[in-house]
PDB file of all heavy atoms in Angstrom:
ATOM      1  N   PHE W  21      73.567  55.989  55.477  1.00 42.00           N
ATOM      2  CA  PHE W  21      73.080  56.154  54.134  1.00 42.00           C
ATOM      3  C   PHE W  21      74.032  55.720  53.170  1.00 42.00           C
ATOM      4  O   PHE W  21      75.245  55.890  53.367  1.00 42.00           O
ATOM      5  CB  PHE W  21      72.741  57.651  53.912  1.00 42.00           C
ATOM      6  CG  PHE W  21      71.548  58.253  54.784  1.00 42.00           C
ATOM      7  CD1 PHE W  21      71.775  58.964  55.850  1.00 42.00           C
ATOM      8  CD2 PHE W  21      70.274  57.966  54.395  1.00 42.00           C
ATOM      9  CE1 PHE W  21      70.784  59.448  56.675  1.00 42.00           C
ATOM     10  CE2 PHE W  21      69.196  58.387  55.116  1.00 42.00           C
ATOM     11  CZ  PHE W  21      69.490  59.214  56.235  1.00 42.00           C
ATOM     12  N   GLU W  22      73.575  55.075  52.181  1.00 45.00           N
ATOM     13  CA  GLU W  22      74.441  54.796  50.990  1.00 45.00           C
ATOM     14  C   GLU W  22      74.910  56.179  50.347  1.00 45.00           C
ATOM     15  O   GLU W  22      74.191  57.094  50.347  1.00 45.00           O
ATOM     16  CB  GLU W  22      73.755  53.900  49.962  1.00 45.00           C
ATOM     17  CG  GLU W  22      73.374  52.568  50.593  1.00 45.00           C
ATOM     18  CD  GLU W  22      74.593  51.626  50.986  1.00 45.00           C
ATOM     19  OE1 GLU W  22      75.578  51.825  50.293  1.00 45.00           O
ATOM     20  OE2 GLU W  22      74.467  50.917  51.897  1.00 45.00           O
ATOM     21  N   PRO W  23      76.114  56.115  49.703  1.00 41.00           N
ATOM     22  CA  PRO W  23      76.517  57.228  49.047  1.00 41.00           C
ATOM     23  C   PRO W  23      75.572  57.918  48.022  1.00 41.00           C
ATOM     24  O   PRO W  23      75.497  59.139  47.928  1.00 41.00           O
ATOM     25  CB  PRO W  23      77.808  56.775  48.305  1.00 41.00           C
ATOM     26  CG  PRO W  23      78.279  55.592  49.098  1.00 41.00           C
ATOM     27  CD  PRO W  23      77.011  54.972  49.507  1.00 41.00           C
ATOM     28  N   ASP W  24      74.759  57.092  47.396  1.00 43.00           N
ATOM     29  CA  ASP W  24      73.823  57.691  46.467  1.00 43.00           C
ATOM     30  C   ASP W  24      72.446  58.223  47.115  1.00 43.00           C
ATOM     31  O   ASP W  24      71.588  58.801  46.407  1.00 43.00           O
ATOM     32  CB  ASP W  24      73.468  56.674  45.363  1.00 43.00           C
ATOM     33  CG  ASP W  24      74.610  56.230  44.535  1.00 43.00           C
ATOM     34  OD1 ASP W  24      75.579  57.099  44.430  1.00 43.00           O
ATOM     35  OD2 ASP W  24      74.575  55.121  44.053  1.00 43.00           O
ATOM     36  N   ASP W  25      72.254  57.796  48.341  1.00 46.00           N
ATOM     37  CA  ASP W  25      71.113  58.272  49.061  1.00 46.00           C
ATOM     38  C   ASP W  25      71.079  59.771  49.418  1.00 46.00           C
ATOM     39  O   ASP W  25      72.159  60.322  49.636  1.00 46.00           O
ATOM     40  CB  ASP W  25      70.908  57.504  50.378  1.00 46.00           C
ATOM     41  CG  ASP W  25      70.446  56.002  50.140  1.00 46.00           C
ATOM     42  OD1 ASP W  25      70.144  55.734  48.951  1.00 46.00           O
ATOM     43  OD2 ASP W  25      70.619  55.187  50.980  1.00 46.00           O
ATOM     44  N   GLU W  26      69.927  60.270  49.436  1.00 50.00           N
ATOM     45  CA  GLU W  26      69.685  61.715  49.835  1.00 50.00           C
ATOM     46  C   GLU W  26      69.366  61.735  51.411  1.00 50.00           C
ATOM     47  O   GLU W  26      68.846  60.843  51.926  1.00 50.00           O
ATOM     48  CB  GLU W  26      68.635  62.475  49.071  1.00 50.00           C
ATOM     49  CG  GLU W  26      68.960  62.643  47.652  1.00 50.00           C
ATOM     50  CD  GLU W  26      67.895  63.367  46.927  1.00 50.00           C
ATOM     51  OE1 GLU W  26      66.881  63.698  47.565  1.00 50.00           O
ATOM     52  OE2 GLU W  26      67.986  63.657  45.654  1.00 50.00           O
TER      53      GLU W  26
END
Side-chain angles (χ1 to χ4, degrees):
F21 292 103
E22 295 297 327
D24 295 334
D25 288 346
E26 295 182 358

